[in-house]
Amino acid sequence: MLFEYARRLIGRERTPDANRHLGIALAFVAGATNAGAFLAVRQYTSHMTGLVSSMADDIVLGNIPLVLSALGGLVSFILGAATTAVLVNLARRHSLHSQYALPLLLEALWMLMFGLMGSQLAEIGEDFVPATVVVLCFMMGLQNAVITKISNSEIRTTHVTGMVTDIGIELGKLFYWNRMPESVSPPVRVNLRRLGTLSALVGAFFLGGLIGAMGFKHLGYAMTLPLALLLASLALVPAADDMRALLGKSTQGTRT
């Protein structure tokens, strides 16, 4: 039962419920990672708005090292999203079950790398900050591109501005008073399902940030291990399906 749920959650056959559940899980991871990023480099790296704004400020202030660090993070986020697109399209070409799982497995590996770099950062100091920013932004680019492709751009997990805006729009529809006859103007109807999904995503991001902050505070960078295991657990079942199929083809080829 658990394996079948994992297969539906990240498999190539998609449903709205699977997209929603996966989005909630990834929003939790993004919130927790954001907390770890603030601990490591004193800035949030799951969304690019603040990074681009800080880059503009530092250009004006003449702080070139911070400009280069922010630019590296921005480029890394883009490269992470591009990597997801390449992995997904390659997997589709070969009809793999793990077309959406591969970027999450890669993110899990980079999560562990962040944990190792974070522990070094605590010992060495600021020398590792730019490299850590690059790792974090690459991870978030990977993740955001996965759920974007899966949901046809309906779900985001690494930032909440758009989701909070959409919540406000749906609440506006909810409280709107339809006075005109429907024949004159189409009635305004709230999408309660979408409102619930958006609220769950924002709540998951907040909960992830809360648990991540507590975890990184008390466990340090060892907190990256359960986050990496969570990402890997989401992706392992489709990857295992592809491995079994590959081994089956190899066995058949040997027999013939």
Side-chain angles (χ1 to χ4, degrees), residues 135-154:
V135 169
L136 288 163
C137 289
F138 186 84
M139 285 167 46
M140 293 296 96
L142 278 171
Q143 177 177 306
N144 209 36
V146 169
I147 196 63
T148 298
K149 290 185 71 66
I150 283 177
S151 67
N152 294 319
S153 302
E154 291 182 1

Side-chain angles (χ1 to χ4, degrees), residues 24 27-28 160 163 167 197-209:
I24 290 170
F28 175 88
V160 299
M163 292 187 286
I167 288 174
T197 298
L198 291 167
S199 300
L201 289 168
V202 174
F205 190 94
F206 174 77
L207 181 62

Side-chain angles (χ1 to χ4, degrees), residues 9-21:
L9 193 67
I10 195 61
R12 63 185 177 186
E13 303 297 331
R14 306 306 308 163
T15 65
D17 283 342
N19 291 346
R20 184 169 62 255
H21 292 176

